[in-house]
Amino acid sequence: MIWYPEKWRRRWILGRESIPESIWRSVVDQLPFLRGLTRDEFRLLREWSTIFLYNKKINGVQGLVVTEAMRAMIAVQACLLILKLDPEYYDNWVEVIVYPGKFVLDHTYTDETGVVHTRRVVASGESWQAGPVILSWEDVVDIRCESGYNVVIHEFAHKLDMLNGSADGYPPLHGDMDRRIWAAVFSRAYEIFCRQVEQGEVTAMNPYAAEDPAEFFAVSSEVFFTRPCLIKQHFPDMYQQLARFYCQDPAARWIAGA
Ligand SMILES: [Zn+2]
């Protein structure tokens, strides 16, 4: 339930800010996985994206100039995840940092003997708990529906996952969902997927999903939105859980929009 002042604030934002029609059209045209959305869903997506852009700072680094079109490209994809949820799912942080391309991060971790190590990794995206989302622009525009790759959906799925603690593949479920069913379905799918990767089989999702349960949830969310029929075919129980969590059935609209 949205409390009244927040409703009023959103109406105020929507009355003063809007994504220009030419930019909105251009972004929608570049995102084939939006096909099948109804007119009302497109309107809602545009409203959530407008609120997102008002609430967040999107800053380029390493000389990258972030244009209105680039801001909209990020906002629309981020808001697809919360289309049937609410913008408040992204409330506890403010900044998106955009690099021109892949960037280097130093990850520190403690091994089982208590020794702290630093590992240098090249990344296309990163999400920090209650902190920024970091994106590589060259990856944001690398829309490859055939592989299910989508860095914006991936990083914002991590954001949803982290709403109830560190990223672990277990986002805050709705009251009518059963956490035991979620855990059982995802554990089984993860186990099958890791075995497929180990055996060198062709997998329905990026093998990176085998990294850990958090990456499995983020990658499965990418595929859920961009190649929904694939995930429904290979992991039907997981598809149902994702459909209930996101309150969306992208496979149905994909077929309807074909
Ligand atoms: Zn990830």
Side-chain angles (χ1 to χ4, degrees), residues 125-127 154-155 158 208 212 214-216 218-219 222:
E126 172 98 338
S127 292
H154 183 106
E155 296 307 329
H158 279 318
Y208 179 64
D212 58 44
E215 296 307 333
F216 189 69
V219 174
E222 290 178 67

Side-chain angles (χ1 to χ4, degrees), residues 26-84:
S26 162
V27 169
V28 167
D29 287 348
Q30 291 175 71
L31 301 174
F33 49 85
L34 298 181
R35 82 181 191 200
L37 287 179
T38 65
R39 186 188 294 249
D40 282 347
E41 287 169 338
F42 271 119
R43 180 188 50 75
L44 191 60
L45 183 60
R46 193 169 178 173
E47 288 186 2
W48 283 176
S49 302
T50 301
I51 290 165
F52 179 94
L53 289 171
Y54 185 85
N55 287 338
K56 306 298 179 204
K57 296 184 193 320
I58 303 182
N59 296 318
V61 293
Q62 295 182 342
L64 182 73
V65 176
V66 180
T67 64
E68 285 301 302
M70 292 162 73
R71 284 162 46 79
M73 187 71 169
I74 292 167
V76 169
Q77 294 183 79
C79 289
L80 178 63
L81 283 79
I82 56 154
L83 182 64
K84 297 296 175 72

